[in-house]
Amino acid sequence: VQPIPGSFTGSRELPTGRIFTKKPFLPQVGGLWDINGHEQLFANAQKNVRQFQTSATAGLSPFALGSQTLFDFFKQNTKPETSWTYEGGIRTARSLDLGPITGFEGQISYYHVDFSNRLLAISPTSTITAIVSGATILQNVGSVKTDGVDFAGTLHFGPHFSIYDAVSYNNSRFSDNYVTGSGATATTVATKGKKVPGSPDWLNKTVASFNYG
């Protein structure tokens, strides 16, 4: 359904058509070693693919490009984002007799992710020479490398109450530069080594749970 002009920021006539995200084989392999009944070592590796977003209001959706020509160009020239994720760590689960604390479960893990064909919304014209930039396009801008560490633990206070807390550190950086514009106005944007916007360094999550009956 076409939007009413001006109903959301930048709304124009939306493109129509079909676009497919296809990866016939996404391998995954993992291993688990039960050390002593309480501690476990684990490791896994897997490949994944991200489907193209379909919302017309999403910034990284081909259906939000506002032009049938741009949509058709995207369909012919853009690849879906893929990733290889590698993770390893140790987890524990033990009963405790420390007054009100009756049990503990914890996990420490390290992960590394290699993203390929990362999508980015960019201007097709050089910001140095253009007075008015062209419509935003979506383009593959190379790879992104992510490294992170997770710390998570649950304290049990009897059979009915528990507190869970998880802390994560994340470092995501572009591995390549990309080019905007063409010909004499082509400009290389130096994104290599820079941090990916929208990916916080630190995350913390706390959950208190009560269960009875």
Side-chain angles (χ1 to χ4, degrees):
V1 177
Q2 296 295 343
I4 298 173
S7 59
F8 62 89
T9 302
S11 63
R12 298 176 291 264
E13 183 177 352
L14 298 177
T16 59
R18 292 184 176 184
I19 190 166
F20 296 95
T21 306
K22 295 180 181 179
K23 284 293 176 184
F25 182 56
L26 296 174
Q28 177 178 351
V29 61
L32 178 68
W33 177 31
D34 194 335
I35 302 173
N36 54 19
H38 297 287
E39 281 74 44
Q40 296 177 333
L41 290 174
F42 62 91
N44 64 76
Q46 67 180 46
K47 187 177 183 179
N48 213 334
V49 62
R50 184 183 186 185
Q51 70 175 49
F52 293 120
Q53 298 183 43
T54 57
S55 170
T57 59
L60 294 179
S61 170
F63 292 96
L65 292 173
S67 161
Q68 190 66 44
T69 300
L70 288 177
F71 177 87
D72 294 338
F73 180 83
F74 179 94
K75 184 175 180 178
Q76 295 296 322
N77 296 278
T78 309
K79 299 178 181 179
E81 295 179 340
T82 60
S83 66
W84 271 101
T85 301
Y86 311 91
E87 183 182 20
I90 185 171
R91 63 171 66 101
T92 184
R94 289 184 174 270
S95 298
L96 300 175
D97 186 12
L98 299 174
I101 302 176
T102 57
F104 173 76
E105 299 162 4
Q107 176 176 305
I108 299 175
S109 61
Y110 163 80
Y111 60 89
H112 174 85
V113 187
D114 290 317
F115 294 96
S116 299
N117 302 319
R118 198 61 183 263
L119 285 174
L120 194 65
I122 65 174
S123 170
T125 57
S126 168
T127 55
I128 297 176
T129 60
I131 298 176
V132 179
S133 62
T136 298
I137 62 173
L138 294 180
Q139 178 178 314
N140 294 125
V141 293
S143 59
V144 168
K145 293 188 182 297
T146 294
D147 290 282
V149 182
D150 289 328
F151 304 88
T154 302
L155 287 175
H156 293 273
F157 299 84
H160 306 300
F161 182 70
S162 65
I163 295 178
Y164 166 86
D165 190 79
V167 178
S168 299
Y169 172 75
N170 173 77
N171 182 22
S172 297
R173 296 182 181 271
F174 290 103
S175 300
D176 303 285
N177 300 323
Y178 70 89
V179 176
T180 181
S182 60
T185 62
T187 302
T188 299
V189 182
T191 49
K192 184 176 181 179
K194 292 186 177 180
K195 303 192 74 171
V196 176
S199 59
D201 293 342
W202 291 96
L203 290 172
N204 186 82
K205 180 180 182 180
T206 303
V207 179
S209 301
F210 180 74
N211 182 355
Y212 192 85

